[in-house]
Every structure is written in C-alpha cells, then in structure tokens.
Amino acid sequence: GLGLMAFLGARTQLPDAGLRTGLTIAQASGAPLALRATFIDATAGSLALSPDGTRLALEAGIENGNWNLWVRPLDSMTTQPVPGTDKASSPFWSPDGHMLGFFTAMGDLMKVAVDGGSPTLISTGVPSVERRHHGTWSQRGDIVFDDGAGAIFRVSASGGTPVKIGTGRSPSFLPDGIHFLYRATTSPQV
C-alpha cells in the first residue's frame, strides 16, 4: 500500500519538456518510487489520486504556455492528456474513477470521461476569487467545492446552480457520501 505521498518543490529546466517537478510515493516498506510529471505550478489542487489508488490526475503545462489535465497510471511512466481540458485546473475524481471533475479559467465547473468523450458542463459562473478550487464528488452524485476564499458550495454532478453550504476549504467526502471533512481556520480574538 501507499504510506505517504510527498510533493517535492525542486524544479529543473528540461530542454524538451519545460519545467519538471518530482513526485515521490513512499511505500509502506519505505522504498520510494520516483515519478516525474510536468507542472505549471505545485500548488494545492494540481494533483488528484483516483479512488482505487491506481491513477494520478494532474494539471500540467504544455509547450505553448497553455495547460490541461493529464492522467497517469502509477504503474507506468506514460502520462496521457485528457482531451477537451484546455486551461482546466484542480481535477478531482468521480467515486467510480471513470470521470474527472475540473474547473475552467472561465469559471465553469465541468466533467469529462477519463477514457474519452467531450467535457460536459455542470455549472457556469462558479464563484471564485482565485483559480484554485478544491472539489470532491460523492457516490450520491453531489459535488462539493470551495471558492478559494473560504466559502463551500454544493451542486449536483448532473448540473445546476451551486448553493453555498458553509465556510472552509479543501472539502473531502467521507466514505458514506453524505458527510465531508474540510479545513477551517479561525482568527484569535483580540
């Protein structure tokens, strides 16, 4: 099993692939498995591990300065682009691992079948104060995401208008598909 996932921030320039960031996955035995992927940045939301733990979805830069989503099986050194995900960010997996949810630079929430097909619009005008969202998708068909500024929203994976349901960041559904964890911060009272 996978014991720890660590993200290394060191970057080096490669002549044919742009910026490269290392990703180390340490097995329970402690033996590291080094993986490589091309990223535009290494901020939270750039990576998503599939529910079965066999694939990694990532946001990566391409030669023309654009970026899109890529999927890489962890037992392979081959990373494949996900068609139709130009300028997509913050990927997250459907519970069955067949689809990716993502956000566009235009403020849309989309989904796409990983094995092929055109992206489908879930919602337009997704609230955002920055390009970084964190999304999670339940077995019941709900998507919960943050707006990057501390508000949490819910929308149906089949489409609709996001509804604010609370405050926090980085929501993640629990296995029951109803409850979710999120990160909350408070300021000390003066």
Side-chain angles (χ1 to χ4, degrees):
L2 299 177
L4 171 69
M5 185 181 296
F7 199 49
L8 304 176
R11 297 178 178 190
T12 57
Q13 183 71 38
L14 298 178
D16 61 342
L19 295 176
R20 186 161 281 200
T21 300
L23 170 70
T24 300
I25 298 177
Q27 302 173 22
S29 67
L33 171 64
L35 300 175
R36 295 274 179 203
T38 305
F39 293 91
I40 58 164
D41 59 41
T43 58
S46 296
L47 301 169
L49 187 63
S50 65
D52 65 3
T54 63
R55 294 176 291 172
L56 187 66
L58 51 107
E59 174 186 331
I62 54 179
E63 291 178 6
N64 65 4
N66 209 349
W67 67 92
N68 60 342
L69 300 183
W70 298 69
V71 173
R72 177 183 186 160
L74 293 181
D75 63 354
S76 169
M77 296 303 286
T78 303
T79 306
Q80 295 295 322
V82 179
T85 61
D86 293 345
K87 296 189 179 182
S89 65
S90 305
F92 57 96
W93 291 90
S94 64
D96 64 8
H98 294 291
M99 300 193 84
L100 280 174
F102 62 92
F103 300 89
T104 70
M106 301 305 294
D108 296 331
L109 174 58
M110 309 280 290
K111 63 183 176 182
V112 65
V114 177
D115 296 328
S118 297
T120 303
L121 179 69
I122 296 172
S123 184
T124 60
V126 172
S128 177
V129 296
E130 55 184 57
R131 196 170 64 86
R132 290 285 162 222
H133 295 277
H134 297 89
T136 184
W137 192 331
S138 80
Q139 299 94 328
R140 297 169 52 119
D142 290 322
I143 292 176
V144 173
F145 64 92
D146 70 35
D147 66 355
I152 297 178
F153 295 83
R154 186 196 69 76
V155 66
S156 171
S158 60
T161 301
V163 176
K164 184 177 177 183
I165 59 171
T167 58
R169 293 178 188 246
S170 305
S172 181
F173 271 108
L174 294 173
D176 68 6
I178 300 169
H179 300 94
F180 60 92
L181 298 175
Y182 61 92
R183 185 178 56 151
T185 57
T186 58
S187 299
Q189 298 294 323
V190 179

